[in-house]
Amino acid sequence: YMGGNRFGARAYADNPDEAKMLEAIDYAHLHGAKLYMTVNTLVKEAELNELFSYLNPYYERGLDAVIVQDMGVFSYIRSHFPDLPIHASTQMTITGVYGAKLLEELGASRIVTARELSLEEIVRIHRESDIEIESFVHGALCYCYSGQCLLSSLIGGRSGNRGRCAQPCRLPYDVKRGNQTLGRKDEKYVLSPKDLCTLDLLPDLLESGIFSLKIEGRMKNPRYTAGVVSIYRKYADAYLKHGRSGYAVDPKDKEMLLDLFDRGGFTDGYYKQHNGAEMIAKTEKPSFRRGNEELFRYLDETYVQSKKQEAIRGQVILKENQPIALTLSCGDVSVEVYGAIPQEAQRQPITEEKLRKQMEKTGNTPFRFEQLEVIIRGEVFLPLQELNEVRRAGLEALEQEILKRYYRKSGNRLSSTQETQMSDHHETGESSLQLHVLLERKEGLAEVLQISEVSEVIIESDAFDPEDWKQVVKLCHQAGKRCVLAMPTIFRTKAETYFDKCREDFLSAGFDLLLIRSLEEIHYVEKMAISLPLIFDHNLYIFNHLSAQMMLARGADRLTLPLELNSRELEELGCRERELIGYGYLPVMVSAQCVRKNMEGCSGKSELLYLKDRMGKDLAVQNHCKFCYNMLYNSTPLSLLGQESLIKRLAPLAVRLQFTRESGAEIGRITQAYAASFIRGEAVESPIAELTRGHFKRGVE
């Protein structure tokens, strides 16, 4: 995988320009490899029209696939570049068979699974779908499910969804329970996982159905990349040759991998455990480690500085009064070229040795002669310049013959009229505005039900038990409000088992709508034949009209606007019939790790702890035990009180208030303020002392 100079998840890498990327595609193809391009960021509405001119040169050159996060980009590539395979990025948070089957139906050829999946979950994906599976086997681990992180974005404006993550997870934090600090003083790197190394698990991974082993190596040096890849190639080949019984890992090879990069040891990741303290570095990355100079020298000489050339076969024929003939072949590709006509030698005829020596000078070309047959008929002579010319022509012809098999015609550039027709841009303008409230805990339900301006109440499925659902729905309906059940942010085997078990409770409860938060849940709901209207939440990103169209086509009845667009970008996207989050401690990370468990062991009970950063800010972290994931929240709540006129011009269907850690009384006061200001148009004094506007004003790069 390689990133170009746009739309890639490593915006700060030394990414190649168009000429270098085209050269890289040719280089890979000449040496029998495939090159995949990263187009794996979320793309704003105004950027969509730049995609064709950006991708088309690579498409024509034979780019083998693109890796994609944005559903709008996915749709765009399917329409404009139908022959280009699409790989679904790990940023799509594919956590099971339902997401895999959804992407398969949409036309993806491969999925890159979430790093958090177990071997059993991967085996199931392989068993129940036909899509290629790619999984990470080595390199850096994100603390958060990829694609579900806004921490860098909200605290520093550098969005991981736009390739600009500042890695705040690698910084120290104090874990607090009230005034008590948990853990040792030298173990503050509680969000910093060790690097992944799966050499010991390789037979299990290869037998699970994984098609492609993914080594994380972006922004690492060539020595690191070459060293890690060579080790995994060695052990993959060993397994393929000897099988499981003959498979054994030399400890020296693991030590070599640590010599290349060490963040405090390795972990074999999530394949055989859901989470655990032994996966987290906790202490600061070693500041100095003596380099293995012998290893570095070997890697540099063998891979970094060496010249890669493909073995070719050839035949050169010299006959008097006939053009010199050169036939070259590489694999199943052959070419034949002709040059000048040799003359009868007056003094020194050309010898086989001299002709061979001249023709085998392949220099900096991609080729080297493995075999060259030299045929000379008669005593003939040809100047060296002519020999060089026919050799050059032959090698260039062979290179072009190999490459042209990959070339394509131009993609489908739609007319401006067609592009306009594809847009579902909504005009702005004032319309009636609804007020919706999401409750992550039971606190506040009574207060919210008493506020007539609230038209919809959303309850979290892990905070409200199934036996309570029917009563909550009844209370909402008696208060004249719709009641919505929020599905979990991460949907894996534990969540599936839970909802399978309580399906009858769900169907009999009488919910009016369902809040969907993952690609898995889209397909799961279809499988369960649940016919409720669906709201797709903000983390099913709609940065552009094409992604919105894709979500609507997959069953969304309502969409939630993303948290990283500013008001101007929201206006370009269109807000009508969509929901805008207007208040809340925004979720900035969702992780399979558990801060509570890693500090003190698993209690099986949800608890609110706090992470104090270097600036003294407190980030709340909640362990959602029912579905076994942690949610980290921003230190300051989003509040759009005071932005009423602008929001009314954007004309969303509703403003949603999200309550997490607030008391019932606080929930009541804040909701009343929004009802008075946004619904009744009254001037109010904000009950929120410290607040942020999030990205509503600033947005992200």
Side-chain angles (χ1 to χ4, degrees):
Y1 289 97
M2 217 175 147
N5 57 10
R6 298 289 308 279
F7 308 116
R10 296 292 185 273
Y12 297 118
D14 184 17
N15 295 310
D17 60 15
E18 182 179 300
K20 285 292 185 183
M21 178 60 78
L22 293 174
E23 183 182 340
I25 293 171
D26 287 348
Y27 185 85
H29 289 163
L30 285 168
H31 297 296
K34 294 180 179 179
L35 192 142
Y36 307 138
M37 187 173 180
T38 59
V39 192
N40 55 343
T41 58
L42 299 180
V43 175
K44 299 176 184 179
E45 181 69 24
E47 297 169 333
L48 275 180
N49 60 7
E50 302 169 24
L51 272 176
F52 187 87
S53 59
Y54 176 71
L55 287 175
N56 196 51
Y58 310 131
Y59 177 76
E60 290 179 336
R61 200 64 156 248
L63 180 67
D64 295 285
V66 287
I67 184 169
V68 167
Q69 175 189 10
D70 191 305
M71 279 296 191
V73 174
F74 191 107
S75 171
Y76 187 96
I77 291 171
R78 294 285 292 163
S79 297
H80 293 75
F81 306 103
D83 297 330
L84 185 58
I86 301 176
H87 298 175
S89 169
T90 190
Q91 291 280 117
M92 284 192 176
T93 324
I94 299 160
T95 56
V97 66
Y98 297 110
K101 291 173 80 169
L102 175 65
L103 267 301
E104 183 182 355
E105 290 173 6
L106 292 174
S109 61
R110 182 183 300 184
I111 58 165
V112 183
T113 56
R115 292 172 174 88
E116 292 79 5
L117 293 198
S118 67
L119 282 168
E120 290 78 10
E121 288 168 315
I122 291 172
V123 167
R124 185 182 176 193
I125 293 173
H126 178 60
R127 184 177 64 243
E128 297 184 24
S129 73
D130 294 321
I131 199 164
E132 293 176 1
I133 301 170
E134 179 166 291
S135 298
F136 284 88
V137 297
H138 194 91
L141 284 173
C142 289
Y143 185 83
C144 179
Y145 282 93
S146 293
Q148 303 299 317
C149 184
L150 299 177
L151 183 59
S152 173
S153 174
L154 283 168
I155 67 175
R158 288 176 51 174
S159 171
N161 285 318
R162 300 276 290 171
R164 292 169 168 82
C165 179
Q167 296 191 311
C169 50
R170 301 297 184 186
L171 298 175
Y173 296 89
D174 288 320
V175 182
K176 309 285 286 187
R177 177 188 289 121
N179 293 323
Q180 178 189 7
T181 300
L182 308 183
R184 293 168 41 178
K185 289 183 178 180
D186 62 343
E187 293 184 342
K188 294 187 176 185
Y189 291 82
V190 295
L191 303 182
S192 181
K194 299 175 183 177
D195 269 24
L196 178 66
C197 177
T198 62
L199 285 183
D200 293 325
L201 300 180
L202 211 53
D204 296 321
L205 299 176
L206 295 172
E207 291 171 8
S208 72
I210 293 173
F211 177 86
S212 174
L213 306 178
K214 193 176 189 84
I215 293 169
E216 183 273 329
R218 295 294 307 279
M219 299 186 77
K220 296 288 201 306
N221 60 46
R223 179 191 293 161
Y224 169 91
T225 308
V228 175
V229 172
S230 67
I231 290 292
Y232 277 86
R233 181 74 270 169
K234 170 185 174 180
Y235 283 98
D237 288 343
Y239 171 82
L240 293 172
K241 183 177 182 180
H242 303 294
R244 181 181 286 272
S245 60
Y247 187 87
V249 177
D250 186 341
K252 292 181 180 178
D253 286 330
K254 279 191 173 180
E255 188 63 31
M256 169 185 160
L257 293 172
L258 283 171
D259 285 338
L260 290 170
F261 190 82
D262 183 7
R263 194 180 261 118
F266 284 136
T267 172
D268 56 13
Y270 296 90
Y271 290 109
K272 291 195 172 183
Q273 59 180 331
H274 186 81
N275 54 32
E278 66 277 10
M279 299 173 65
I280 305 300
K282 287 191 176 179
T283 57
E284 190 171 7
K285 184 177 76 172
S287 57
F288 174 78
R289 178 173 176 163
R290 185 176 297 278
N292 186 336
E293 295 303 327
E294 183 180 351
L295 169 64
F296 297 164
R297 183 166 54 253
Y298 165 76
L299 293 173
D300 287 345
E301 292 174 355
T302 307
Y303 299 109
V304 180
Q305 298 163 0
S306 66
K307 183 168 61 176
K308 178 79 171 170
Q309 291 183 306
E310 298 301 312
I312 61 174
R313 301 175 304 281
Q315 182 189 70
V316 58
I317 302 174
L318 259 70
K319 292 183 180 180
E320 188 178 349
N321 298 322
Q322 292 187 23
I324 179 174
L326 177 62
T327 303
L328 299 174
S329 61
C330 182
D332 60 352
V333 178
S334 296
V335 296
E336 188 172 12
V337 297
Y338 298 91
I341 298 174
Q343 304 298 317
E344 180 181 357
Q346 299 298 315
R347 286 181 294 180
Q348 292 184 328
I350 194 166
T351 64
E352 177 181 337
E353 180 184 2
K354 188 171 184 179
L355 180 56
R356 180 184 303 278
K357 181 179 179 181
Q358 201 64 28
M359 298 307 292
E360 288 183 345
K361 291 180 178 179
T362 56
N364 290 322
T365 72
F367 307 111
R368 61 175 177 81
F369 275 101
E370 177 182 62
Q371 174 187 331
L372 178 62
E373 181 183 6
V374 176
I375 300 173
I376 302 175
R377 296 285 185 259
E379 294 190 345
V380 293
F381 171 79
L382 200 64
L384 291 181
Q385 181 180 348
E386 299 295 346
L387 294 176
N388 292 341
E389 178 60 28
V390 75
R391 183 193 66 223
R392 182 196 61 77
L395 294 174
E396 286 183 358
L398 182 61
E399 182 173 335
Q400 287 305 305
E401 192 67 22
I402 293 171
L403 293 177
K404 76 178 188 181
R405 298 184 302 174
Y406 296 92
Y407 294 164
R408 303 184 184 96
K409 294 180 180 179
S410 175
N412 302 328
R413 185 189 288 276
L414 302 184
S415 69
S416 57
T417 303
Q418 289 173 307
E419 293 282 13
T420 301
Q421 289 172 347
M422 291 174 66
S423 174
D424 66 346
H425 180 76
H426 298 278
E427 294 182 3
T428 58
E430 289 196 13
S431 63
S432 58
L433 185 67
Q434 298 179 24
L435 189 61
H436 299 168
V437 171
L438 183 147
L439 298 173
E440 288 200 10
R441 299 186 300 163
K442 294 181 179 179
E443 285 82 352
L445 178 61
E447 286 81 358
V448 167
L449 292 180
Q450 295 175 24
I451 301 171
S452 61
E453 289 82 2
V454 174
S455 56
E456 193 168 284
V457 176
I458 309 167
I459 62 169
E460 285 287 351
S461 50
D462 67 340
F464 292 79
D465 297 322
E467 54 267 27
D468 299 327
W469 291 349
K470 183 177 287 188
Q471 180 61 21
V472 173
V473 172
K474 181 180 178 181
L475 291 172
C476 287
H477 288 173
Q478 288 175 346
K481 308 179 191 313
R482 297 182 297 275
C483 189
V484 183
L485 183 69
M487 297 289 281
T489 303
I490 298 298
F491 191 89
R492 292 177 62 184
T493 303
K494 193 168 185 178
E496 181 182 6
T497 302
Y498 179 84
F499 283 99
D500 283 351
K501 184 178 179 180
C502 65
R503 182 172 184 269
E504 292 306 315
D505 291 307
F506 171 77
L507 293 176
S508 63
F511 287 108
D512 299 287
L513 304 100
L514 197 59
L515 182 66
I516 298 293
R517 286 167 163 161
S518 78
L519 297 178
E520 307 297 321
E521 292 163 359
I522 298 172
H523 216 289
Y524 175 76
V525 167
E526 291 177 358
K527 173 217 165 190
M528 296 294 283
I530 295 171
S531 57
L532 285 181
L534 304 179
I535 310 165
F536 284 15
D537 210 356
H538 65 88
N539 61 329
L540 290 169
Y541 301 108
I542 53 162
F543 264 48
N544 53 72
H545 76 272
L546 289 179
S547 54
Q549 286 179 349
M550 284 280 279
M551 296 303 183
L552 292 169
R554 291 310 306 181
D557 295 278
R558 185 198 306 165
L559 303 172
T560 308
L561 293 162
L563 295 171
E564 293 187 287
L565 297 183
N566 60 35
S567 59
R568 177 183 53 79
E569 292 162 340
L570 289 171
E571 187 171 1
E572 291 173 352
L573 174 65
C575 299
R576 282 189 178 275
E577 303 305 315
R578 294 167 185 174
E579 196 160 341
L580 175 70
I581 296 176
Y583 171 82
Y585 288 92
L586 297 179
V588 293
M589 267 193 175
V590 55
S591 175
Q593 289 295 332
C594 179
V595 173
R596 168 61 167 84
K597 176 183 176 181
N598 290 350
M599 302 306 293
E600 296 184 324
C602 178
S603 66
K605 297 179 180 179
S606 292
E607 180 182 1
L608 201 63
L609 299 176
Y610 290 88
L611 303 184
K612 184 180 288 292
D613 67 14
R614 298 179 303 168
M615 309 303 292
K617 298 284 188 179
D618 289 327
L619 293 88
V621 57
Q622 177 84 47
N623 51 326
H624 293 256
C625 296
K626 192 170 289 183
F627 305 117
C628 203
Y629 59 80
N630 265 211
M631 189 76 80
L632 187 68
Y633 297 92
N634 201 23
S635 60
T636 309
L638 168 76
S639 173
L640 296 185
L641 278 172
Q643 304 298 309
E644 292 81 358
S645 60
L646 179 52
I647 290 173
K648 287 185 178 181
R649 188 166 72 85
L650 293 176
L653 171 75
V655 169
R656 184 200 299 172
L657 316 181
Q658 298 194 160
F659 294 107
T660 52
R661 56 201 247 194
E662 297 85 352
S663 67
E666 289 173 320
I667 291 171
R669 284 196 301 273
I670 293 169
T671 306
Q672 286 283 15
Y674 273 82
S677 179
F678 279 88
I679 306 303
R680 300 197 300 270
E682 300 172 2
V684 298
E685 183 176 341
S686 175
I688 306 157
E690 186 180 4
L691 58 88
T692 175
R693 300 298 188 193
H695 286 301
F696 192 70
K697 290 295 187 181
R698 66 180 181 180
V700 294
E701 288 185 47

